[in-house]
């Protein structure tokens, strides 16, 4: 079987695929059956979040990885212990296969515990295969008993260890020095023979199964005579690329950094290829952590510019043949890595500066406060492991408990994002129906009307025998023309009819890939199992949806032509009234680019070329150049949709767009009518959203816009082509008038050349005249003024002008009664006094008199307000009193 995606298909408990058995989980649980009973895989896995998280160890140890490949052999009720053990021993030791010396191998079995007997059966089969009894060790529940979870399949397991030789420290399994690196587990055989029930009961499985796993990196190290996984060819090719790009030797003080870059490049590239993009939650956040750790080590290697994206071609050369998705996504991988590293470099500089300040007084063995580590995480995007990594080289650590305490307020939300990042678990009822009824035959590619028989009814999560008038439920038919929601296309709606029976089809969905279920409401009569129904898809809704779906294909290719090969679809919504299309692209799309995309798509529409669909093998389809969407699940047989033509090239005319797609499409591109882009926006970092309309919806939208523009032109008394220029002129004239009006108001408020002086009980009058200070408070020159009708925003310019009248410096206070009955106050202090008199303290005293609270600003200029405009004089008196108090203190 092919390796499944790193994004689990039907398991909300998993962040990433982390074991070979993940794609077979429902088989082991007995909830699903397939046509085969044996399988082998080389499964790509990521362990960097959740239960399995050793991220901070990667690069420092010989065998920790974020990305690895698991070689698996599986039996679903077919062969069991005897054959599993014989197969394993033959594969590992036979000269025809791996040829590993038998005297280098050791085996472990389950010693018996918790009501499960010692696995004497496995021991006998190992001896039968040729393993000396003295090389077989026994262990308990922790090491040699496997469980899927609190409940479910479980059973004893048996591990194979390889002895790397006496040049490496460590002892055999079970010895006092077993934690050394000499004896390394390379294979684990799980014998699933029990089912753990709730409440502690354990029963025998009716179909015992086998789940084995062998790490490719570990066995490659054995076969290549290496003790360190990073010394095998898979990693050395990437490390050499890192050395060439940085000019830094692979060994010595930078050895760890090269290893981190190589490992994390693999994880990052494969996750992007499977549709994960860096973000601040769920899977995207874990990817960002992996990327940023690698980018930190790229900086330690002295890289002055983004490094990881330059290494992506080396990874594709090394692994692209085995995993073609790397080749298909290479442009997206490089663009994502480059953008993320460019952004992170600025973040890294700020974070490291804070880290340096906070640890300046700490010595070797000290721990950074958890609150500081959390600040780095929360404010600067530094994951805890990145902080730990940065401090490790200096012999310091982090107060992890303190960090955890600081994180507590966010954990509930984090867990919610983590748990919800997988697809929703499929209800058990659909497994039973799929097994009993088989797949639903879909007729909707050829017709919108058909006859069908009601095979099953589901109401409130359980099977039901009937639905009465007014009730809703889910209906399964033997065949249907209704399209089940998938691939971004919404489900069909319509009607189902029989004598005395009328059903409204509200929605149609797919369960378990090929079981089509219809949400129905009984409008008349009673629906019974076995009822023969006339099926009618809503023609108008289907036709509009088809046009929008075909338009997404045209837009996808047009966007690639205009923006670049890195563009990849990241999600879509295709409904009757519109289409929404998300793509990977690092920056906003300009209006000129959107216009070019629209032009290209509409040229293909005008060709009115036939839309051709073909069924072919998945590998054949991809080899032909058909594009596949990363988040779609494809079977061995796929549907390939081709539309439009491109002239020229060495091979003559070829299709404009070729994609794997199970949706419904127009017969000819001309049926789309028109493609009109109506919106472009950001939905996440590196993801842009295009919204568009087709057919009548596009025409109606454009006509409405045209009429609105004509009405605006008439209002402005200008030709349509000059509306933009005329509006710019009006806006500029309005801004100019607003400035002139504000200036006039300020001059009027200042009373022209005459000055109205508001004396205070604490002040002493001085010689009056034109705009000069006429009052002192505690020896400080002041200018106090009451005005009316100004906007609050005009008070600060007024205060700035008043400060110019204070030739020796001092304090200015302007109190304003607005037209709404409220008051505002500005206090300014010139530089000569700002060092010991704060405008903030003064304005707060005045605000209290106005019935307000607080106020704020800078020590040299502050503003406040209040609801009582009749208290302007009291506010100025309060400012004067506070000034006298501050001047004397």
């Amino acid at each position: 079987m092919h390796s499944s995606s790193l994004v689990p298909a039907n398991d909300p408990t998993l962040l990433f695929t982390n074991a070979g058995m993940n794609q077979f989980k429902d088989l082991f649980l007995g909830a699903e059956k397939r046509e085969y009973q044996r399988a082998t895989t080389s499964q790509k896995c990521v362990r960097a979040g959740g239960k399995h998280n050793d991220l901070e160890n990667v690069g420092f140890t010989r065998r920790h990885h974020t990305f690895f490949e698991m070689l698996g052999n599986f039996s679903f009720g077919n062969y069991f212990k005897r054959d599993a053990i014989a197969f394993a021993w033959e594969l590992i030791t036979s000269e025809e296969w791996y040829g590993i010396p038998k005297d280098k191998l050791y085996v472990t079995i389950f010693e018996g515990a918790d009501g499960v007997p010692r696995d004497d059966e496995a021991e006998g089969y190992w001896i039968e295969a040729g393993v000396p009894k003295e090389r077989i060790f026994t262990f308990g529940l922790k090491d040699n008993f496997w469980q899927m979870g609190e409940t479910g399949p479980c059973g004893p397991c048996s591990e194979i260890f390889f002895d790397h030789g006496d040049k490496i420290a460590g002892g055999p399994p079970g010895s006092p020095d077993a934690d050394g690196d000499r004896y390394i587990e390379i294979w684990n055989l799980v014998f699933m023979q029990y089912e753990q029930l709730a409440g502690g009961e354990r029963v025998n499985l009716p179909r015992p199964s086998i789940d084995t796993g062998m790490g490719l990196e570990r066995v490659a190290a054995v076969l290549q005579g290496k003790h360190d996984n990073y010394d095998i060819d898979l990693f050395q090719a990437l490390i050499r690329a890192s050395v060439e790009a940085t000019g830094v030797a692979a060994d010595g003080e930078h050895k760890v950094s090269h290893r981190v870059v190589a490992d994390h490049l693999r994880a990052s590239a494969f996750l992007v290829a499977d549709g994960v993009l860096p973000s601040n939650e769920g899977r995207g956040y874990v990817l960002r952590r992996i990327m940023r750790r690698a980018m930190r080590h790229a900086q330690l290697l002295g890289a002055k510019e983004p490094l990881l994206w330059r290494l992506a071609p080396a990874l594709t050369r090394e692994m692209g043949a085995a995993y073609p998705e790397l080749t298909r996504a290479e442009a997206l991988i490089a663009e994502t890595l480059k953008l993320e590293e460019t952004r992170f470099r600025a973040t890294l500089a700020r974070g490291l500066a804070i880290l340096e300040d906070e640890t300046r007084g700490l010595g070797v063995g000290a721990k950074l406060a958890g609150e500081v580590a959390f600040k780095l995480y929360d404010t600067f995007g530094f994951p805890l492991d990145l902080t730990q990594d940065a401090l490790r080289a200096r012999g310091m650590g982090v107060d992890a408990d303190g960090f955890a305490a600081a994180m507590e307020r966010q954990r509930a939300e984090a867990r919610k994002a983590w748990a919800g990042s997988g697809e929703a678990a499929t209800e058990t009822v659909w497994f039973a129906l799929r097994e009993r009824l088989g797949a639903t035959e879909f007729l909707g590619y050829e017709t919108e009307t058909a006859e069908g028989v009601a095979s099953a009814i589901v109401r409130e999560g359980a099977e039901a025998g009937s639905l009465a008038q007014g009730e809703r439920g889910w209906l399964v038919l033997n065949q249907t023309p209704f399209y089940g929601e998938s691939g971004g296309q919404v489900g069909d709606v319509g009607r189902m009819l029989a004598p005395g029976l009328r059903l409204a089809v509200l929605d149609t969905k797919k369960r378990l890939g090929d079981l089509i279920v219809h949400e129905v409401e009984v409008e008349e009569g009673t629906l019974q199992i076995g009822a023969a129904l006339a099926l009618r898809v809503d023609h108008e809704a289907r036709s509009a949806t088809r046009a929008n779906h075909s338009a997404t294909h045209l837009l996808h290719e047009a966007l690639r032509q205009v923006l670049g090969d890195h563009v990849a679809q990241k999600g879509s919504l295709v409904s009757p009234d519109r289409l929404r299309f998300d793509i990977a692209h690092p920056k906003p799309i300009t209006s000129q680019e959107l216009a070019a995309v629209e032009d290209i798509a509409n040229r293909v529409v005008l060709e009115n070329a036939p839309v051709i669909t073909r069924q072919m093998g998945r590998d054949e389809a991809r080899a032909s150049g058909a594009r596949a969407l990363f988040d779609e699940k494809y079977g061995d047989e796929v549907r390939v949709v081709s539309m439009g033509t491109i002239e020229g090239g060495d091979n003559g005319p070829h299709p404009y767009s070729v994609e794997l797609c199970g949706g419904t499409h127009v017969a000819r591109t001309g049926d789309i009518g028109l493609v009109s882009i109506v919106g472009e926006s950001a939905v996440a970092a590196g993801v842009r959203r295009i919204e568009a309309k087709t057919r009548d919806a596009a025409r109606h939208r454009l006509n409405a816009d045209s009429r609105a523009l004509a009405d605006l032109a008439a209002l402005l008394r200008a030709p349509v082509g000059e509306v933009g220029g005329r509006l710019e002129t009006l806006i500029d004239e309005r801004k100019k008038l607003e400035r002139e009006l504000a200036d006039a108001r300020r001059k009027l408020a200042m009373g022209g050349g005459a000055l109205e002086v508001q004396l205070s009980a604490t002040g002493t009058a001085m010689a009056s005249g034109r705009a000069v200070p006429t009052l002192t408070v505690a020896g400080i020159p002041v200018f106090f003024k009451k005005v009316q009708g100004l906007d609050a925003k005009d008070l600060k310019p007024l205060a700035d002008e008043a400060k110019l009248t204070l030739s020796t410096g001092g304090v200015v206070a302007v109190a304003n009664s607005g037209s709404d009955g409220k008051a505002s106050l500005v206090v300014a202090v010139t530089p000569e006094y700002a060092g010991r008199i704060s405008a903030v303290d003064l304005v707060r005293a005045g605000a209290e008199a106005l019935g307000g609270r607080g106020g704020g600003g800078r020590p040299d200029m502050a503003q406040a307000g209040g609801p009582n405009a009749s208290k302007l004089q009291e506010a100025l008196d309060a400012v004067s009193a506070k000034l006298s108090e501050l001047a004397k203190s």
Side-chain angles (χ1 to χ4, degrees):
M1 297 294 294
H2 288 279
S3 171
S4 66
S5 168
L6 286 170
V7 179
N10 282 310
D11 193 343
T13 68
L14 285 178
L15 200 62
F16 299 116
T17 298
N18 61 14
M21 61 77 58
N22 290 162
Q23 65 172 301
F24 305 114
K25 182 176 179 179
D26 291 328
L27 278 175
F28 289 128
L29 287 169
E32 180 183 0
K33 289 183 180 178
R34 300 182 189 176
E35 61 185 14
Y36 53 84
Q37 293 181 305
R38 302 184 182 191
T40 64
T41 61
S42 179
Q43 174 65 52
K44 53 190 179 185
C45 301
V46 164
R47 291 184 181 177
K51 176 182 176 182
H52 301 287
N53 183 13
D54 294 313
L55 185 61
E56 68 275 8
N57 292 321
V58 174
F60 292 93
T61 65
R62 294 180 173 94
R63 274 168 286 279
H64 277 113
H65 304 293
T66 53
F67 174 90
F68 62 95
E69 296 173 79
M70 184 63 77
L71 307 178
N73 303 285
F74 306 92
S75 165
F76 313 108
N78 191 260
Y79 68 82
F80 196 50
K81 283 186 189 178
R82 184 174 205 152
D83 285 335
I85 288 171
F87 293 161
W89 194 249
E90 179 185 357
L91 178 65
I92 289 181
T93 64
S94 169
E95 290 298 331
E96 184 181 358
W97 305 111
Y98 294 173
I100 297 175
K102 296 178 182 179
D103 61 0
K104 290 281 190 179
L105 299 174
Y106 295 76
V107 170
T108 68
I109 62 170
F110 182 55
E111 68 181 8
D114 197 25
V116 180
R118 186 179 189 275
D119 200 352
D120 295 328
E121 186 181 12
E123 183 178 42
Y125 293 145
W126 282 117
I127 293 172
E128 183 180 296
V131 180
K133 186 168 184 177
E134 63 270 17
R135 288 178 176 265
I136 300 175
F137 301 88
T138 60
F139 292 95
L141 291 169
K142 181 176 181 292
D143 296 301
N144 279 82
F145 193 87
W146 181 90
Q147 284 188 231
M148 182 176 288
E150 294 298 322
T151 60
C154 58
C157 59
S158 194
E159 300 168 317
I160 302 174
F161 284 75
F162 176 79
D163 177 7
H164 278 277
D166 56 12
K167 63 183 181 296
I168 307 295
S175 65
D177 54 350
D179 289 338
D181 279 335
R182 176 175 174 177
Y183 296 85
I184 300 301
E185 176 203 339
I186 60 173
W187 195 337
N188 188 16
L189 296 85
V190 177
F191 310 126
M192 284 197 257
Q193 60 190 94
Y194 303 109
E195 181 178 7
Q196 181 71 49
L197 304 179
E201 184 182 1
R202 189 182 294 119
V203 299
N204 291 325
L205 282 175
R207 300 170 66 242
S209 299
I210 292 293
D211 164 20
T212 74
M214 174 165 58
L216 175 63
E217 293 80 6
R218 291 191 178 194
V219 76
V222 170
L223 295 177
Q224 294 175 28
K226 308 294 184 183
H227 179 247
D228 191 321
N229 287 4
Y230 289 95
D231 288 338
I232 66 175
D233 51 4
L234 279 174
F235 281 101
Q236 283 300 300
L238 301 180
I239 290 173
R240 282 195 300 272
S242 178
V243 169
E244 290 171 4
T246 60
V248 177
D251 294 319
E253 62 176 317
H254 294 296
K255 179 178 181 178
V256 167
S257 292
H258 281 300
R259 292 178 171 214
V260 169
V261 167
D263 176 275
H264 292 6
L265 172 65
R266 296 191 343 151
S268 300
F270 273 94
L271 285 171
V272 172
D274 276 351
V276 182
L277 288 178
S279 69
N280 290 326
E281 59 183 17
R283 296 184 176 109
Y285 175 63
V286 177
L287 171 59
R288 176 163 280 166
R289 288 174 61 196
I290 296 170
M291 284 185 171
R292 289 186 168 187
R293 187 167 185 263
M295 291 162 185
R296 160 68 175 149
H297 281 273
Q299 188 194 56
L300 293 176
L301 289 169
K304 302 300 182 186
E305 300 294 334
L307 171 68
L308 265 68
W309 73 278
R310 295 165 56 197
L311 307 181
L315 177 62
T316 303
R317 286 194 301 271
E318 190 67 27
M319 303 185 73
Y323 295 99
E325 61 266 32
L326 279 183
T327 304
R328 292 192 298 271
E330 185 172 359
L332 176 62
I333 292 167
E335 185 74 21
T336 303
L337 288 169
K338 186 176 183 180
L339 177 65
E340 187 70 14
E341 190 163 0
T342 300
R343 288 173 172 168
F344 181 55
R345 282 179 169 263
T347 299
L348 185 64
R350 292 195 299 270
L352 290 177
I354 290 176
L355 195 59
E356 181 64 30
D357 289 342
E358 294 289 346
T359 57
R360 188 166 285 119
L362 300 180
V364 174
K367 288 189 174 183
L368 179 71
E371 287 286 347
V372 176
F374 179 75
K375 177 185 176 183
L376 284 166
Y377 157 77
D378 195 41
T379 307
F380 297 97
F382 262 48
L384 176 62
D385 43 54
L386 185 61
T387 301
Q388 291 170 324
D389 213 40
L391 294 177
R392 187 196 299 255
R394 298 165 59 184
M396 299 178 187
V398 175
D399 175 12
D401 292 338
F403 179 88
M407 274 285 282
E408 192 60 38
R409 64 182 180 274
Q410 294 185 3
R411 278 187 173 172
E413 187 62 31
R415 277 195 293 269
K416 178 182 176 184
W418 179 82
S421 58
E423 295 179 9
T426 310
E427 298 94 325
T428 305
V429 66
W430 303 122
F431 282 114
L433 287 175
R434 173 63 179 82
E435 184 174 334
R436 188 173 82 235
L437 303 175
T440 308
E441 184 179 358
F442 178 59
L443 310 174
Y445 292 135
E446 292 80 28
T447 183
E448 295 174 6
T449 62
E451 305 293 324
V453 176
S455 303
I457 299 170
V458 173
R459 186 166 182 260
E460 296 180 352
E463 289 194 63
S466 64
L467 282 180
Q469 184 171 328
E471 291 184 332
R472 286 189 183 187
W474 292 92
L475 175 61
V476 182
L477 303 166
N478 63 325
Q479 60 182 24
T480 181
F482 287 84
Y483 181 83
E485 178 183 340
S486 60
Q489 180 175 330
V490 299
D492 279 332
V493 297
R495 285 279 187 273
M496 296 183 183
L497 305 169
L501 179 63
R502 185 174 71 249
L503 310 178
V505 181
L506 309 176
D507 198 1
T508 310
K509 294 186 179 296
K510 285 185 179 179
R511 301 295 189 193
L512 306 177
D514 54 12
L515 185 70
I516 300 176
V517 300
H518 312 76
E519 185 182 15
V520 298
E521 181 175 1
V522 182
E523 296 180 330
E524 179 184 346
T526 298
L527 173 65
Q528 302 278 356
I529 299 293
L533 299 165
L535 314 175
R536 305 286 183 265
V537 174
D538 185 314
H539 173 72
E540 287 302 318
R542 166 71 81 83
S543 298
T545 302
R546 276 198 303 248
N548 284 336
H549 200 154
S550 297
T552 63
H553 286 225
L554 301 187
L555 286 172
H556 191 187
E557 186 59 36
L559 286 160
R560 289 175 60 86
Q561 291 186 21
V562 173
L563 303 179
D565 286 342
H566 65 276
V567 167
Q569 183 174 337
K570 301 305 300 174
S572 67
L573 171 66
V574 179
S575 64
D577 61 327
R578 65 189 174 115
L579 68 92
R580 191 181 72 206
F581 193 69
D582 296 346
I583 62 166
H585 186 62
K587 56 187 176 182
I589 306 172
T590 67
S591 57
Q592 293 85 355
E593 290 169 334
L594 289 174
V597 168
E598 223 176 40
D599 286 345
I600 293 171
N602 281 301
R603 279 199 293 272
V604 181
V605 170
L606 291 172
E607 286 180 12
N608 198 28
V611 175
I612 300 170
T613 60
R614 292 178 296 158
Q615 290 289 130
M616 60 178 69
R618 176 177 56 183
D619 294 337
E620 177 190 359
R622 287 179 167 173
S624 72
R627 302 196 190 283
L629 307 186
F630 297 126
D631 56 352
E632 286 293 294
K633 312 297 183 293
Y634 300 104
D636 291 331
E637 286 292 315
V638 295
R639 186 167 181 262
V640 179
V641 180
S642 306
M643 58 184 74
T645 56
I646 296 177
E647 300 293 338
D650 296 338
N651 300 318
H654 56 279
Y656 164 81
S657 168
V658 185
E659 291 192 18
L660 274 61
C661 182
T664 61
H665 289 276
V666 296
R668 307 185 71 89
T669 58
D671 296 341
I672 296 171
L674 173 70
V675 179
S676 176
I677 297 175
V678 298
E680 188 275 344
S681 60
V683 293
V687 179
R688 308 298 300 183
R689 172 164 292 172
I690 304 293
E691 296 187 68
K693 294 180 179 291
T694 64
R695 297 180 69 218
D696 290 345
R699 181 171 55 82
H700 293 157
R701 168 68 182 260
L702 292 173
N703 286 343
D705 288 349
S706 179
R707 287 192 294 271
L709 182 59
D711 292 344
L712 183 59
L715 188 64
L716 294 173
R717 295 190 176 94
V720 168
E722 297 178 10
V723 164
R726 178 67 177 137
L727 278 174
E728 287 183 5
T729 300
L730 287 174
I731 291 170
D732 289 343
E733 289 176 354
R734 179 188 173 95
K735 289 179 179 178
K736 180 180 178 183
L737 288 171
E738 286 177 344
R739 288 194 298 269
E740 291 175 352
L741 180 60
D743 289 343
R745 283 175 173 170
R746 285 196 296 271
K747 290 178 181 177
L748 182 62
M750 291 295 290
L755 177 66
E756 178 189 354
V757 179
Q758 307 300 328
L759 295 179
S760 141
T762 58
T764 302
M766 297 177 62
S768 63
R770 55 188 302 275
V772 294
T774 59
L775 191 68
T776 62
V777 174
I780 299 175
V782 299
F783 181 102
F784 287 175
K785 181 70 175 176
K786 289 189 298 184
V787 297
Q788 280 187 320
L790 286 186
D791 289 338
K793 63 183 177 63
D794 290 325
L795 291 187
K796 286 186 177 180
L798 189 62
D800 285 332
E801 291 178 13
K803 280 198 296 185
L804 300 176
T805 69
L806 299 171
S807 57
T808 60
V811 174
V812 169
V814 181
N816 172 52
S817 59
S819 58
D820 56 0
K822 296 180 180 179
S824 50
L825 174 69
V826 165
V827 176
V829 179
T830 60
E832 295 90 336
Y833 295 96
R836 59 190 181 96
I837 304 294
S838 171
V840 175
D841 293 336
L842 297 177
V843 85
R844 286 177 177 169
E848 188 174 346
L850 295 172
R853 281 186 170 185
R858 306 185 308 268
D860 64 329
M861 177 79 78
Q863 189 165 5
N868 197 342
S870 65
K871 299 290 187 180
L872 294 189
Q873 183 60 52
E874 287 84 344
L876 292 174
D877 286 346
V879 171
S880 180
K882 187 66 174 178
L883 174 60
S884 179
E885 174 190 332
L886 294 175
K888 294 175 181 177
S889 61

